[in-house]
Amino acid sequence: HYFPRDKHYSQNISKIIHNHGLNGVISLLARRLARLVIKTAKTLTSKVVIRAASATAGLFVLQALYVLVKTPRLSPPDKSGVNFPREGLSVSLQNEDRCRIEKGSADSAGKGSKTKWREFRLVLIGDSPVEGIGNSHHSVALSGRTAEAFAKLVCRSGREHDDRRDEADENALKGKQYDSVRYWSYGKSGLTARGVNREMVPLLHRVVDDVVSSSNGDTAAENCFEKPIHAIVLLCGVNNVLDPRPTTFYRDVHSLIHSIKHHPKFGSIDKDTPLLILGLPDFTKLPFLPSWPMGWILGFRGRYIQHVLETVIQEVQQEEMIESGRIQTR
C-alpha cells in the first residue's frame, strides 16, 4: 500500500519475515519512510531556496533602480580629469595650520627666494574621488587635501624660510626638505582598474616626461631635486565591485601597478618612489544604499575585491624585494 511501485515488495516481505521476523519488517518500513521524508525535505528546501533567491534578486533590482533614480548626479570641479592643469597645482605651507594653493611653474613659485626652490611632486590617479566629484574646487577635494597633508609633513612654512630662524626652528626643520608640494590629479568617474591603466596611467607618464624634459634648463634642473615624482597615490576597485567580471580584477590591478612603476621611455620610475594604494570603503556603511540585500551583497563583493587588492600588493612587494636582493631565491 505504501510502496506500490515496488514489484518485488511482497517477495521481500516474505523473505524478511522468514529470516528476521516482524522486527525486520519494521526496520524495512522505517528505512523506506526515512528515505521518503529526506526526499520530500530536499524537494521542499530546493523550492524554498529558489523562491527566496528569486525574491532577493527582484528586490535587489528594485533597490538598484531606486538608488539609480534617487542618487544625485554630482559634477567634478573645473579642469578635472584629463583637463587638469598640465603644470599642476602648487601647495605651500604658510604656517602650521594654513596652506596656500596656486598655479604656475616652479620658477615663478621660487622667484625672489635666496635659496633653491625645491618641490615635492605628487601624482594622484584613479576614479571619481580623484576626479573630485561633488566638490567645487580641487583644494577641497581628495587631491587637494592629500597635497595639504603632504605639505604639512615635508614642507617648510613661511617663517621657516626666514634667514633669522633660531636653533629651535632648525631642529623643527629636520625632515622638511621642500618648499612646496606640486600635485596632479588625474581621475575619471566610472573607471575600473583596467580603465585607470588605459586612460590615466599615460597622463602620469606625461608628467614624468615634462619634468625630465624641463630639467634641461639650469633653473629647472635645480628644481628637479633628485627624482621626477616623489609619491604616487592610486585609488581603484570601487567600480570593480559592480563589474560583472570580478575574476579579472587580480590580473587588471597587477598590470596597473606594473604600468605605473615602469615608464615606457625611461625604464622604471625610481624604486624609492612610494606608491600609496587606498583601500575600498565599507559598502554596508554607505547611507544611500539599503542595508539588505543591496548593501550586504555589495559589501561582500567589496571585501572580496579588497582581499584581492591586498594579495596583489603583497606579491608586488615580494617581487621588488627579490629584485633588490633583499630576499634570496633558491
Side-chain angles (χ1 to χ4, degrees), residues 162-328:
D162 194 349
D163 296 333
R164 296 171 294 179
R165 53 179 177 254
D166 54 18
E167 184 179 355
D169 292 331
E170 291 292 345
N171 293 331
L173 278 176
K174 291 181 179 180
K176 295 188 176 182
Q177 311 176 54
Y178 302 93
D179 301 295
S180 65
V181 173
R182 183 166 298 277
Y183 72 94
W184 293 260
S185 181
Y186 295 118
K188 184 179 179 181
S189 179
L191 289 183
T192 60
R194 182 179 300 180
V196 173
N197 191 7
R198 182 177 61 251
E199 300 185 30
M200 300 293 110
V201 172
L203 299 177
L204 165 66
H205 292 162
R206 188 183 69 179
V207 174
V208 178
D209 294 341
D210 293 344
V211 174
V212 173
S213 61
S214 67
S215 63
N216 295 328
D218 295 335
T219 304
E222 293 179 353
N223 292 328
C224 188
F225 191 51
E226 296 179 356
K227 48 189 174 183
I229 303 297
H230 298 91
I232 302 171
V233 177
L234 171 64
L235 176 59
C236 68
V238 174
N239 296 294
N240 287 91
V241 175
L242 304 176
D243 191 356
R245 302 164 301 172
T247 55
T248 64
F249 180 72
Y250 174 87
R251 181 174 61 254
D252 293 342
V253 74
H254 198 284
S255 176
L256 171 59
I257 295 176
H258 183 272
S259 299
I260 291 174
K261 300 291 287 185
H262 294 79
H263 191 276
K265 288 169 53 177
F266 303 101
S268 300
I269 294 178
D270 197 300
K271 295 296 184 181
D272 296 330
T273 301
L275 174 60
L276 310 178
I277 303 178
L278 304 184
L280 272 67
D282 187 357
F283 285 85
T284 60
K285 305 294 184 181
L286 298 181
F288 59 87
L289 290 182
S291 59
W292 191 91
M294 190 174 188
W296 187 87
I297 294 175
L298 294 182
F300 176 80
R301 290 172 63 90
R303 289 189 294 271
Y304 167 75
I305 294 294
Q306 177 72 21
H307 173 72
V308 174
L309 183 61
E310 294 175 357
T311 302
V312 174
I313 293 173
Q314 293 176 359
E315 292 180 358
V316 171
Q317 290 175 340
Q318 187 174 9
E319 291 174 1
E320 292 180 350
M321 294 178 69
I322 293 175
E323 291 178 359
S324 62
R326 286 177 286 181
I327 294 181
Q328 300 294 332

Side-chain angles (χ1 to χ4, degrees), residues 50 72 74 116 219:
I50 292 174
L74 303 177
K116 181 172 60 176
T219 304

Side-chain angles (χ1 to χ4, degrees), residues 92-107:
S92 58
L93 191 63
Q94 292 182 334
N95 52 56
E96 294 182 357
D97 300 324
R98 190 174 181 182
C99 296
R100 179 183 63 190
I101 299 180
E102 59 185 10
K103 293 175 61 176
S105 62
D107 298 339

